[in-house]
Amino acid sequence: MASEGRRTAYVNARLLDPASGLDRAGALLVEGKRIVDLGPGLFADGVPGGVALVDCGGACLAPGLIDLRVQLREPGEEHKETIESGCAAAAAGGVTSMVCLPNTSPPIDDVSVVEFIARRAREVGTVKVFAYGAATQGCRGEQIAEMGILAEAGAVAFTDGVRAIANAQVMRRALAYAKTFGLLIVQHAEEPALATSGVMNEGEIATRLGLAGITPAAEAILLERDMRLVALTGARYHAAHVATAEGVAVIRAAKARGLPVTADTAPPYFLLNDTAVGDYRSFARLSPPLRSEDDRKAVEAGLLDRTIDCIASDHAPQDQDAKRLPFAQAEPGAVGLETLLALALSLVHNRRAGLLDVLRLLSLRPAEIMGFPAGRLAPGAPADLVLFDPARPWRIEPERFRSKSKNSPFDRHPTQGRVLRTVVDGATVYSAGADATRG
Amino acid sequence: MGDPDATLRFPHRHILGIAGLARDEIAFLLDLADSYVDQNRRADKKNAVLRGRTLINLFFEDSTRTRTSFELAGKRLGADVINMSVATSAVKKGETLIDTAMTLNAMHLDVLVVRHAASGAVHLLADKVDCAVVNAGDGSHEHPTQALLDALTIRRRKGGLEGLLVAICGDILHSRVARSNMLLLQTMGARVRVVAPATLLPAAIGRYGVEVHHDMRTGLADADIVMMLRLQLERMNGSFLPSIREYFRFFGLDYAKLGVAKPDALIMHPGPINRGVEIDSELADDINRSVIREQVEMGVAVRMACLDALMRNAPSNAGG
């Protein structure tokens, strides 16, 4: 941990700040837990004595990634992931803050669980872990949870996690109740009546494989309903992992109407389509499911035109027992913390977006949505940083993940963009090696 | 009481709600009630204003205190008072509300006091019966005598209603007390705030012309009167509110939350109190702040005034 007032200079860096649009070679000075200065001219005359030096070797220095959708599985399913292993995975992925879903066991619908997670994260002492509170008691979608008390205990927003808040009256009251305290509701927008019997995208592949499909309308139907409830209540709403063209269109129209709505998606939804299911690859079983190529393109377009505000990892660890099953019986979900940056950077490498645009999706916007002070390089901001080489090629090898679970649909995919160092509150929590970092 | 202008000053056959009552009509009822407060404090509490008249308390919903209050009011004015509660009425045998009205008409009563769980049920009865009707609470609609007794309590303590800031807190959505009070207090020149979670506010609350707050700290700031509402326990099963402890934490009245109100702010509650749910138990009993017991006393006087005013308009020879 950085001792109080200790100063560290990051020199020879490509400074990237999506908030200000800064993209220049320069240096950055950290004192204690905060950024105190940065710019192209900083330390032009050398670094003064008593300041620790990190030579960035020309690599990119940007605000640390902020991941709005992570399942840490603790408490309850520690064989899949723990707060400690999840933090290690996050640090390796350049993630400096993450928000974990409430579908633990017990669920995060009680102050004691919020406090437990905060205590475990404090003991691990690396990446900042924030918790969603359950929007309804037990995430059962029936009775609204103690959002006021949970928010006081530290819950940053409210969701039923991997389950949709399906009942319209419950959703209306959850939104109205959240509005009472100025809180955000996050929805897994998938109409369960249409989704629960299906296991993948409804279409030709599902038909040929003989698997039960989920119509893409399941997403648009719930989003459309929710937009009306948002208009009715005035509450803030965030749509998680948007995956269909129709869903993107609903969010786009809602934003045009001025509704207080934001959205995220995850790399599988703008990089893969339902052909990834191939011969019943259970690692490609996700919730919501991988959609068609047209949907994938629409999600990508939504990211580029800012309809979708941010990219989250949607980290959903599953052990082998949960995945080595016939496709329809396998648990949905994929790990994503350690591949988030590289996969998001494919938007840059495919010439779809600029580096600052992608960083905006990974740090600035998620911070703004949650009201975190991080997500920017600015004097006074927390020294939560990621140092990365955007071009370095590597192959995704899940057996090397720090996460306890290895379920990635990107297994063996070649990719580009490597995290070199991750800094949280001024302290280095991950370093890829000494090659790019001296001092 | 021999006021020859009384009919002109209160030209109503029924009291079904505060809606429809003019400012000077409300003031007339409050003035009349004031005189009954004095009468009720004497050893001889009776007069003969309603001698020979028949009053029936027709309660389709349980309420010991309101029914008792009307019963006392009728008896102190010399009327014959009969209580009919739903458990013993023909309603249980399938008689409709209209049938009940026809039966009552045949009994030649003078005043019918009605409480019913359905909004509008009292109006329906009033359309069908020949006698005067007083609404003792219908559904989530109105409870005019409660608002009048609250106004009388405030007026006697504060000298008037004009310009006072009244915060009504709690389950506004389901509350007939809140609706009648919002109407009455604003008619009399008071400023009204409502303070509640958004789940317990009616959709068109903005149309009442009241200030809407979701936070007791802003809602009670500089308030002269803090009026707490009873929270029905069935509201706390998670559909409107997550739990009792969360409700009390954010919307229950305690000394800390009261701290932002005026130092001499009065606390009111229509009763019966849920201690530790909408109000701290000690605070409810604090004789320097709480006027809850005084409200009960004013209730009898206000109901006497209502009965008196209505009977001045009633034909002196029923059926004639």
Side-chain angles (χ1 to χ4, degrees):
Chain A
M1 297 298 286
S3 58
E4 209 53 48
R6 185 188 153 180
R7 296 200 292 170
T8 305
Y10 295 81
V11 299
N12 194 17
R14 179 180 170 191
L15 300 172
L16 287 155
D17 177 35
S20 62
L22 175 73
D23 180 359
R24 301 262 319 256
L28 181 142
L29 178 64
V30 170
E31 185 172 327
K33 296 181 174 184
R34 302 201 168 271
I35 299 168
V36 291
D37 202 358
L38 75 154
L42 187 64
F43 305 129
D45 303 325
V47 177
V51 177
L53 189 67
V54 176
D55 185 343
C56 298
C60 295
L61 187 64
L65 275 48
I66 293 168
D67 191 343
L68 294 191
R69 195 171 178 86
V70 172
Q71 295 179 62
L72 293 179
R73 303 292 189 216
E74 184 180 349
E77 290 184 286
E78 289 85 351
H79 57 292
K80 294 181 175 179
E81 195 78 285
T82 62
I83 290 170
E84 185 168 12
S85 65
C87 283
V95 173
T96 53
S97 291
M98 56 183 167
V99 190
C100 60
L101 295 183
N103 56 315
T104 47
S105 179
I108 311 178
D109 67 351
D110 191 275
V111 168
S112 60
V113 187
V114 178
E115 287 172 351
F116 168 79
I117 289 165
R119 177 170 64 76
R120 290 287 299 123
R122 213 163 44 238
E123 287 165 0
V124 171
T126 55
V127 169
K128 293 173 183 173
V129 179
F130 298 89
Y132 285 110
T136 70
Q137 294 172 27
C139 298
R140 284 187 298 270
E142 293 159 5
Q143 305 177 337
I144 55 178
E146 292 172 316
M147 295 186 212
I149 293 176
L150 289 166
E152 280 192 343
V156 293
F158 292 84
T159 179
D160 277 357
V162 297
R163 299 174 71 168
I165 302 164
N167 182 300
Q169 181 70 285
V170 172
M171 186 57 167
R172 180 191 180 169
R173 295 211 176 114
L175 286 165
Y177 197 70
K179 164 85 175 166
T180 301
F181 300 97
L183 301 171
L184 174 71
I185 295 284
V186 176
Q187 172 77 302
H188 165 79
E190 196 179 40
E191 168 55 53
L194 292 168
T196 37
S197 59
V199 295
M200 70 170 293
N201 184 45
E202 186 170 283
E204 183 182 344
I205 294 168
T207 303
R208 291 189 185 281
L209 292 175
L211 291 172
I214 302 171
T215 170
E219 180 173 279
I221 286 170
L222 210 60
L223 283 174
E224 287 275 16
R225 181 205 75 177
D226 284 351
M227 292 309 102
R228 285 161 198 270
L229 296 176
V230 168
L232 197 61
T233 56
R236 290 170 61 222
Y237 176 94
H238 180 85
H241 47 210
V242 175
T244 68
E246 288 290 326
V248 175
V250 174
I251 301 289
R252 188 176 287 125
K255 287 188 164 187
R257 286 172 60 200
L259 294 178
V261 172
T262 53
D264 72 64
T265 192
Y269 301 114
F270 61 87
L271 292 173
L272 301 176
N273 60 35
D274 59 355
T275 61
V277 173
D279 293 325
Y280 304 99
R281 285 186 64 217
S282 63
F283 281 8
R285 176 157 187 213
L286 306 181
S287 175
L290 292 168
R291 294 297 187 178
S292 71
E293 177 60 10
D294 285 345
D295 290 310
R296 186 199 68 76
K297 285 181 184 161
V299 170
E300 186 187 75
L303 283 168
L304 302 184
D305 74 5
R306 300 187 174 182
T307 297
I308 300 174
D309 298 84
C310 51
I311 301 172
S313 71
D314 209 1
H315 185 75
Q318 298 291 1
D319 62 356
Q320 296 291 337
D321 288 349
K323 282 290 191 185
R324 277 193 188 146
L325 289 166
F327 189 87
Q329 293 163 25
E331 292 287 336
V335 291
L337 278 168
E338 289 164 83
T339 52
L340 177 60
L341 179 64
L343 293 172
L345 286 173
S346 64
L347 292 170
V348 177
H349 299 307
N350 297 337
R351 299 181 191 283
R352 294 282 192 269
L355 199 45
L356 283 173
D357 299 323
V358 170
L359 292 174
R360 175 189 158 85
L361 293 162
L362 290 169
S363 56
L364 177 64
R365 284 300 289 145
E368 287 173 344
I369 290 167
M370 287 295 156
F372 296 160
R376 59 191 69 220
L377 298 185
D384 293 352
L385 307 167
V386 59
L387 183 68
F388 66 98
D389 177 348
R392 186 178 302 187
W394 58 292
R395 187 177 294 279
I396 293 171
E397 293 168 332
E399 64 274 15
R400 301 176 70 162
F401 283 167
R402 281 153 184 79
S403 171
K404 277 190 155 187
S405 292
K406 315 299 177 189
N407 53 307
S408 171
F410 296 101
D411 188 0
R412 308 294 135 193
H413 277 231
T415 188
Q416 256 184 296
R418 206 61 164 131
V419 175
L420 303 175
R421 182 190 280 256
T422 306
V423 176
V424 177
D425 278 341
T428 297
V429 297
Y430 171 80
S431 179
D435 45 332
T437 54
R438 278 179 287 275
Chain B
M1 319 261 145
D3 184 350
D5 295 332
T7 311
L8 294 174
R9 295 179 63 187
F10 195 80
H12 298 279
R13 194 170 154 233
H14 308 299
I15 297 176
L16 301 181
I18 298 300
L21 295 187
R23 183 177 174 130
D24 57 343
E25 292 162 5
I26 292 167
F28 169 72
L29 289 176
L30 295 180
D31 292 343
L32 192 52
D34 250 333
S35 70
Y36 283 121
V37 174
D38 299 335
Q39 178 179 321
N40 286 336
R41 287 176 180 174
R42 293 200 298 261
D44 178 7
K45 300 172 181 62
K46 286 189 78 158
N47 68 17
V49 167
L50 262 62
R51 180 153 56 195
R53 301 285 192 180
T54 305
L55 183 158
I56 291 186
N57 274 325
L58 183 60
F59 276 58
F60 294 90
E61 215 182 48
D62 285 342
S63 163
T64 309
R65 58 173 68 205
T66 305
R67 201 208 63 219
T68 307
S69 183
F70 270 108
E71 184 176 352
L72 266 179
K75 285 180 171 166
R76 285 182 182 167
L77 295 173
D80 295 316
V81 180
I82 293 151
N83 292 319
M84 284 176 64
S85 74
V86 68
T88 56
S89 92
V91 174
K92 281 274 162 88
K93 299 173 191 163
E95 190 178 76
T96 68
L97 206 53
I98 308 289
D99 294 336
T100 306
M102 295 306 139
T103 308
L104 293 170
N105 275 342
M107 295 177 184
H108 298 292
L109 57 149
D110 300 284
V111 190
L112 185 63
V113 175
V114 188
R115 166 164 292 187
H116 201 286
S119 302
V122 181
H123 286 65
L124 182 63
L125 265 176
D127 279 348
K128 303 295 175 190
V129 296
D130 300 329
C131 63
V133 174
V134 179
N135 183 357
D138 65 322
S140 301
H141 175 231
E142 281 235 42
H143 193 354
T145 58
Q146 178 71 43
L148 287 163
L149 76 88
D150 289 341
L152 183 64
T153 308
I154 297 169
R155 204 177 75 161
R156 288 173 65 95
R157 282 293 194 117
K158 298 286 184 187
L161 293 160
E162 181 84 46
L164 291 180
L165 180 56
V166 183
I168 307 177
C169 310
D171 185 2
I172 311 289
L173 177 62
H174 300 96
S175 177
R176 53 193 174 218
V177 175
R179 281 175 180 75
S180 289
N181 263 312
M182 288 189 287
L183 293 171
L184 185 148
L185 291 166
Q186 293 190 108
T187 300
M188 302 309 283
R191 283 170 59 203
V192 178
R193 284 187 192 148
V194 293
V195 192
T199 46
L200 292 180
L201 286 168
I205 185 69
R207 301 293 298 162
Y208 269 88
V210 298
E211 266 181 56
V212 179
H213 291 257
H214 298 312
D215 188 332
M216 295 284 271
R217 288 168 296 194
T218 60
L220 299 196
D222 298 317
D224 296 286
I225 308 290
V226 179
M227 197 177 274
M228 302 306 296
L229 299 172
R230 177 177 167 78
L231 190 69
Q232 305 288 329
L233 289 166
E234 63 266 26
R235 313 291 183 222
M236 277 177 288
N237 62 8
S239 46
F240 293 94
L241 295 169
S243 66
I244 292 173
R245 68 172 178 177
E246 170 134 332
Y247 186 76
F248 186 72
R249 169 74 154 266
F250 295 100
F251 296 99
L253 188 65
D254 55 21
Y255 283 102
K257 295 196 190 81
L258 188 62
V260 297
K262 290 229 177 90
D264 61 347
L266 299 178
I267 298 164
M268 306 180 75
H269 190 296
I273 302 167
N274 291 311
R275 290 172 187 271
V277 178
E278 67 258 356
I279 188 165
D280 175 74
S281 191
E282 192 185 337
L283 186 54
D285 296 331
D286 184 339
I287 53 166
N288 296 315
R289 310 305 296 267
S290 166
V291 292
I292 296 170
R293 273 181 289 177
E294 209 166 307
Q295 288 173 273
V296 178
E297 182 189 357
M298 295 306 126
V300 179
V302 151
R303 284 157 185 142
M304 290 168 81
C306 290
L307 297 174
D308 181 356
L310 287 174
M311 285 306 95
R312 294 179 195 198
N313 299 338
S316 53
N317 187 3

